[in-house]
Short mmCIF file of all heavy atoms in Angstrom, two decimals:
data_model
loop_
_atom_site.label_atom_id
_atom_site.label_comp_id
_atom_site.label_asym_id
_atom_site.label_seq_id
_atom_site.Cartn_x
_atom_site.Cartn_y
_atom_site.Cartn_z
N LYS A 384 98.17 92.48 109.01
CA LYS A 384 97.48 93.67 108.50
C LYS A 384 97.84 94.87 109.38
O LYS A 384 98.21 94.69 110.55
CB LYS A 384 95.97 93.42 108.51
CG LYS A 384 95.58 92.29 107.57
CD LYS A 384 94.14 91.87 107.77
CE LYS A 384 93.82 90.65 106.91
NZ LYS A 384 92.76 89.83 107.47
N ALA A 385 97.66 96.07 108.83
CA ALA A 385 98.23 97.29 109.41
C ALA A 385 98.16 97.38 110.94
O ALA A 385 99.17 97.57 111.61
CB ALA A 385 97.57 98.50 108.78
N VAL A 386 96.95 97.26 111.50
CA VAL A 386 96.83 97.46 112.95
C VAL A 386 97.60 96.37 113.70
O VAL A 386 98.34 96.65 114.66
CB VAL A 386 95.33 97.48 113.36
CG1 VAL A 386 95.18 97.43 114.87
CG2 VAL A 386 94.66 98.73 112.79
N ASP A 387 97.47 95.13 113.24
CA ASP A 387 98.20 94.02 113.89
C ASP A 387 99.70 94.17 113.67
O ASP A 387 100.51 93.80 114.53
CB ASP A 387 97.72 92.68 113.33
CG ASP A 387 96.30 92.37 113.77
OD1 ASP A 387 95.87 92.94 114.80
OD2 ASP A 387 95.63 91.59 113.08
N LEU A 388 100.06 94.70 112.50
CA LEU A 388 101.48 94.86 112.19
C LEU A 388 102.14 95.81 113.20
O LEU A 388 103.21 95.51 113.75
CB LEU A 388 101.62 95.38 110.76
CG LEU A 388 103.01 95.42 110.13
CD1 LEU A 388 102.89 95.31 108.62
CD2 LEU A 388 103.75 96.70 110.47
N PHE A 389 101.47 96.93 113.47
CA PHE A 389 102.08 97.88 114.41
C PHE A 389 101.99 97.37 115.85
O PHE A 389 102.84 97.70 116.68
CB PHE A 389 101.47 99.27 114.23
CG PHE A 389 102.12 99.99 113.08
CD1 PHE A 389 101.61 99.85 111.79
CD2 PHE A 389 103.27 100.72 113.26
CE1 PHE A 389 102.24 100.47 110.72
CE2 PHE A 389 103.90 101.34 112.18
CZ PHE A 389 103.39 101.21 110.91
N ARG A 390 100.97 96.54 116.10
CA ARG A 390 100.95 95.88 117.42
C ARG A 390 102.17 94.97 117.57
O ARG A 390 102.83 94.94 118.61
CB ARG A 390 99.68 95.03 117.54
CG ARG A 390 98.70 95.63 118.50
CD ARG A 390 97.47 94.81 118.71
NE ARG A 390 96.36 95.73 118.86
CZ ARG A 390 95.21 95.65 118.23
NH1 ARG A 390 94.97 94.64 117.42
NH2 ARG A 390 94.28 96.54 118.44
N ALA A 391 102.47 94.24 116.49
CA ALA A 391 103.63 93.34 116.53
C ALA A 391 104.92 94.12 116.70
O ALA A 391 105.85 93.67 117.36
CB ALA A 391 103.67 92.50 115.25
N VAL A 392 104.97 95.32 116.11
CA VAL A 392 106.15 96.17 116.30
C VAL A 392 106.25 96.52 117.79
O VAL A 392 107.32 96.40 118.41
CB VAL A 392 106.05 97.45 115.45
CG1 VAL A 392 107.20 98.41 115.77
CG2 VAL A 392 106.05 97.11 113.96
N GLY A 393 105.12 96.92 118.38
CA GLY A 393 105.12 97.31 119.79
C GLY A 393 105.48 96.16 120.71
O GLY A 393 106.08 96.36 121.78
N GLU A 394 105.12 94.95 120.31
CA GLU A 394 105.41 93.78 121.15
C GLU A 394 106.80 93.21 120.88
O GLU A 394 107.17 92.17 121.44
CB GLU A 394 104.34 92.69 120.89
CG GLU A 394 102.98 93.08 121.45
CD GLU A 394 101.85 92.24 120.87
OE1 GLU A 394 102.13 91.27 120.13
OE2 GLU A 394 100.68 92.55 121.16
N GLY A 395 107.53 93.85 119.97
CA GLY A 395 108.91 93.42 119.73
C GLY A 395 109.04 92.27 118.76
O GLY A 395 110.13 91.72 118.58
N ARG A 396 107.94 91.87 118.13
CA ARG A 396 108.02 90.75 117.18
C ARG A 396 108.58 91.19 115.83
O ARG A 396 109.16 90.41 115.11
CB ARG A 396 106.63 90.11 117.01
CG ARG A 396 106.21 89.30 118.23
CD ARG A 396 104.88 88.63 118.00
NE ARG A 396 103.76 89.55 118.19
CZ ARG A 396 102.72 89.63 117.37
NH1 ARG A 396 102.65 88.88 116.30
NH2 ARG A 396 101.74 90.49 117.62
N ILE A 397 108.34 92.47 115.48
CA ILE A 397 108.94 93.02 114.26
C ILE A 397 110.18 93.78 114.69
O ILE A 397 110.11 94.71 115.50
CB ILE A 397 107.97 93.99 113.55
CG1 ILE A 397 106.66 93.30 113.19
CG2 ILE A 397 108.64 94.62 112.33
CD1 ILE A 397 106.71 92.30 112.10
N LYS A 398 111.32 93.40 114.12
CA LYS A 398 112.59 94.02 114.53
C LYS A 398 113.11 95.03 113.51
O LYS A 398 114.00 95.80 113.80
CB LYS A 398 113.68 92.94 114.69
CG LYS A 398 113.25 91.72 115.48
CD LYS A 398 113.33 91.96 116.96
CE LYS A 398 113.01 90.69 117.73
NZ LYS A 398 112.74 90.97 119.15
N ALA A 399 112.59 94.92 112.28
CA ALA A 399 113.01 95.88 111.23
C ALA A 399 111.78 96.27 110.44
O ALA A 399 111.07 95.40 109.93
CB ALA A 399 114.05 95.24 110.32
N LEU A 400 111.53 97.57 110.36
CA LEU A 400 110.31 98.06 109.72
C LEU A 400 110.69 99.12 108.70
O LEU A 400 111.42 100.06 109.01
CB LEU A 400 109.39 98.68 110.78
CG LEU A 400 108.12 99.37 110.29
CD1 LEU A 400 107.17 98.37 109.64
CD2 LEU A 400 107.43 100.08 111.47
N TRP A 401 110.19 98.95 107.48
CA TRP A 401 110.45 99.93 106.40
C TRP A 401 109.12 100.55 106.01
O TRP A 401 108.21 99.85 105.55
CB TRP A 401 111.11 99.23 105.23
CG TRP A 401 111.57 100.15 104.13
CD1 TRP A 401 111.33 101.47 103.97
CD2 TRP A 401 112.38 99.77 103.01
NE1 TRP A 401 111.93 101.95 102.84
CE2 TRP A 401 112.59 100.93 102.21
CE3 TRP A 401 112.97 98.56 102.59
CZ2 TRP A 401 113.34 100.90 101.04
CZ3 TRP A 401 113.70 98.55 101.42
CH2 TRP A 401 113.90 99.71 100.66
N ILE A 402 109.01 101.86 106.22
CA ILE A 402 107.78 102.61 105.92
C ILE A 402 108.03 103.44 104.66
O ILE A 402 109.01 104.19 104.61
CB ILE A 402 107.40 103.51 107.11
CG1 ILE A 402 107.10 102.64 108.34
CG2 ILE A 402 106.21 104.40 106.77
CD1 ILE A 402 107.14 103.40 109.65
N MET A 403 107.16 103.29 103.68
CA MET A 403 107.36 104.01 102.40
C MET A 403 106.20 104.95 102.13
O MET A 403 105.06 104.51 101.96
CB MET A 403 107.45 103.01 101.24
CG MET A 403 108.56 102.01 101.37
SD MET A 403 108.61 100.89 99.94
CE MET A 403 109.56 99.55 100.65
N GLY A 404 106.48 106.24 102.10
CA GLY A 404 105.52 107.23 101.60
C GLY A 404 104.25 107.36 102.40
O GLY A 404 103.20 107.69 101.84
N THR A 405 104.33 107.16 103.70
CA THR A 405 103.13 107.31 104.52
C THR A 405 103.53 107.68 105.95
O THR A 405 104.69 107.57 106.32
CB THR A 405 102.25 106.04 104.46
OG1 THR A 405 101.06 106.26 105.21
CG2 THR A 405 102.97 104.82 105.01
N ASN A 406 102.54 108.10 106.72
CA ASN A 406 102.81 108.71 108.01
C ASN A 406 101.96 108.03 109.10
O ASN A 406 101.04 108.63 109.64
CB ASN A 406 102.47 110.21 107.91
CG ASN A 406 102.95 111.02 109.09
OD1 ASN A 406 103.58 110.49 110.02
ND2 ASN A 406 102.65 112.30 109.08
N PRO A 407 102.27 106.75 109.41
CA PRO A 407 101.40 106.01 110.33
C PRO A 407 101.37 106.59 111.74
O PRO A 407 100.39 106.40 112.45
CB PRO A 407 102.01 104.60 110.34
CG PRO A 407 103.43 104.78 109.90
CD PRO A 407 103.40 105.92 108.93
N ALA A 408 102.41 107.33 112.13
CA ALA A 408 102.40 107.90 113.48
C ALA A 408 101.29 108.92 113.63
O ALA A 408 100.88 109.26 114.74
CB ALA A 408 103.75 108.54 113.80
N ALA A 409 100.78 109.44 112.50
CA ALA A 409 99.66 110.38 112.56
C ALA A 409 98.35 109.73 112.17
O ALA A 409 97.30 110.08 112.69
CB ALA A 409 99.93 111.56 111.62
N SER A 410 98.39 108.78 111.25
CA SER A 410 97.14 108.35 110.63
C SER A 410 96.55 107.06 111.18
O SER A 410 95.36 106.81 110.99
CB SER A 410 97.34 108.19 109.12
OG SER A 410 98.43 107.34 108.86
N LEU A 411 97.33 106.25 111.85
CA LEU A 411 96.77 105.00 112.36
C LEU A 411 95.96 105.26 113.63
O LEU A 411 96.22 106.21 114.36
CB LEU A 411 97.88 103.99 112.67
CG LEU A 411 98.34 103.14 111.48
CD1 LEU A 411 99.56 102.34 111.86
CD2 LEU A 411 97.24 102.21 110.99
N PRO A 412 94.95 104.43 113.89
CA PRO A 412 94.19 104.60 115.13
C PRO A 412 95.06 104.32 116.35
O PRO A 412 96.05 103.59 116.25
CB PRO A 412 93.07 103.55 115.00
CG PRO A 412 93.59 102.53 114.05
CD PRO A 412 94.49 103.27 113.10
N GLU A 413 94.65 104.90 117.48
CA GLU A 413 95.44 104.81 118.71
C GLU A 413 96.90 105.15 118.39
O GLU A 413 97.83 104.40 118.70
CB GLU A 413 95.27 103.44 119.37
CG GLU A 413 93.82 103.21 119.79
CD GLU A 413 93.56 101.93 120.56
OE1 GLU A 413 94.50 101.34 121.10
OE2 GLU A 413 92.38 101.54 120.64
N ALA A 414 97.06 106.30 117.75
CA ALA A 414 98.37 106.70 117.21
C ALA A 414 99.43 106.82 118.30
O ALA A 414 100.62 106.66 118.02
CB ALA A 414 98.24 108.01 116.43
N ASN A 415 99.01 107.08 119.52
CA ASN A 415 100.02 107.17 120.58
C ASN A 415 100.72 105.82 120.78
O ASN A 415 101.91 105.75 121.09
CB ASN A 415 99.39 107.63 121.90
CG ASN A 415 98.90 109.07 121.80
OD1 ASN A 415 99.30 109.79 120.88
ND2 ASN A 415 98.04 109.48 122.72
N GLY A 416 99.95 104.75 120.63
CA GLY A 416 100.54 103.41 120.72
C GLY A 416 101.49 103.16 119.56
O GLY A 416 102.52 102.49 119.70
N VAL A 417 101.15 103.71 118.39
CA VAL A 417 102.01 103.53 117.22
C VAL A 417 103.34 104.25 117.43
O VAL A 417 104.41 103.71 117.13
CB VAL A 417 101.30 104.04 115.95
CG1 VAL A 417 102.24 104.04 114.75
CG2 VAL A 417 100.07 103.19 115.66
N THR A 418 103.28 105.46 117.97
CA THR A 418 104.55 106.18 118.19
C THR A 418 105.40 105.46 119.24
O THR A 418 106.62 105.38 119.11
CB THR A 418 104.30 107.64 118.62
OG1 THR A 418 103.43 107.65 119.74
CG2 THR A 418 103.67 108.44 117.52
N ALA A 419 104.74 104.88 120.24
CA ALA A 419 105.50 104.13 121.25
C ALA A 419 106.15 102.91 120.60
O ALA A 419 107.31 102.57 120.87
CB ALA A 419 104.58 103.71 122.39
N ALA A 420 105.41 102.26 119.70
CA ALA A 420 105.95 101.08 119.02
C ALA A 420 107.15 101.47 118.15
O ALA A 420 108.18 100.79 118.15
CB ALA A 420 104.86 100.43 118.16
N LEU A 421 107.01 102.59 117.42
CA LEU A 421 108.11 103.04 116.56
C LEU A 421 109.34 103.39 117.39
O LEU A 421 110.47 103.10 117.01
CB LEU A 421 107.67 104.25 115.73
CG LEU A 421 106.66 103.96 114.61
CD1 LEU A 421 106.11 105.26 114.02
CD2 LEU A 421 107.32 103.13 113.51
N ALA A 422 109.08 104.01 118.54
CA ALA A 422 110.21 104.40 119.40
C ALA A 422 110.95 103.17 119.90
O ALA A 422 112.17 103.22 120.10
CB ALA A 422 109.70 105.24 120.56
N ALA A 423 110.22 102.07 120.08
CA ALA A 423 110.85 100.87 120.65
C ALA A 423 111.43 99.95 119.57
O ALA A 423 112.17 99.02 119.89
CB ALA A 423 109.81 100.10 121.47
N CYS A 424 111.08 100.18 118.32
CA CYS A 424 111.51 99.26 117.25
C CYS A 424 113.02 99.38 117.03
O CYS A 424 113.55 100.48 116.87
CB CYS A 424 110.75 99.58 115.96
SG CYS A 424 111.09 98.39 114.65
N PRO A 425 113.72 98.25 116.98
CA PRO A 425 115.19 98.32 116.84
C PRO A 425 115.65 98.98 115.56
O PRO A 425 116.73 99.56 115.51
CB PRO A 425 115.62 96.84 116.89
CG PRO A 425 114.49 96.11 117.51
CD PRO A 425 113.24 96.87 117.19
N PHE A 426 114.88 98.86 114.47
CA PHE A 426 115.36 99.45 113.21
C PHE A 426 114.17 99.92 112.38
O PHE A 426 113.33 99.12 111.97
CB PHE A 426 116.18 98.41 112.43
CG PHE A 426 116.84 98.99 111.21
CD1 PHE A 426 117.70 100.07 111.31
CD2 PHE A 426 116.59 98.45 109.94
CE1 PHE A 426 118.32 100.61 110.19
CE2 PHE A 426 117.22 98.98 108.81
CZ PHE A 426 118.08 100.07 108.94
N VAL A 427 114.12 101.23 112.15
CA VAL A 427 113.03 101.83 111.36
C VAL A 427 113.65 102.58 110.18
O VAL A 427 114.52 103.42 110.36
CB VAL A 427 112.19 102.80 112.21
CG1 VAL A 427 111.09 103.44 111.36
CG2 VAL A 427 111.57 102.09 113.41
N VAL A 428 113.19 102.25 108.99
CA VAL A 428 113.59 102.97 107.77
C VAL A 428 112.35 103.70 107.27
O VAL A 428 111.27 103.13 107.25
CB VAL A 428 114.05 102.00 106.66
CG1 VAL A 428 114.55 102.77 105.44
CG2 VAL A 428 115.09 101.04 107.18
N VAL A 429 112.51 104.94 106.87
CA VAL A 429 111.40 105.67 106.23
C VAL A 429 111.90 106.22 104.91
O VAL A 429 112.89 106.96 104.86
CB VAL A 429 110.88 106.82 107.11
CG1 VAL A 429 109.77 107.58 106.38
CG2 VAL A 429 110.36 106.29 108.45
N SER A 430 111.26 105.83 103.81
CA SER A 430 111.55 106.51 102.54
C SER A 430 110.38 107.42 102.26
O SER A 430 109.22 107.00 102.31
CB SER A 430 111.80 105.52 101.40
OG SER A 430 111.02 104.37 101.52
#
Side-chain angles (χ1 to χ4, degrees):
K384 296 169 185 153
V386 170
D387 290 338
L388 189 153
F389 279 89
R390 251 183 217 132
V392 174
E394 290 164 7
R396 287 183 280 136
I397 302 289
K398 313 278 185 195
L400 174 65
W401 186 351
I402 297 162
M403 301 181 199
T405 183
N406 191 1
S410 54
L411 274 172
E413 298 185 18
N415 293 344
V417 172
T418 54
L421 288 170
C424 186
F426 187 56
V427 178
V428 184
V429 178
S430 35

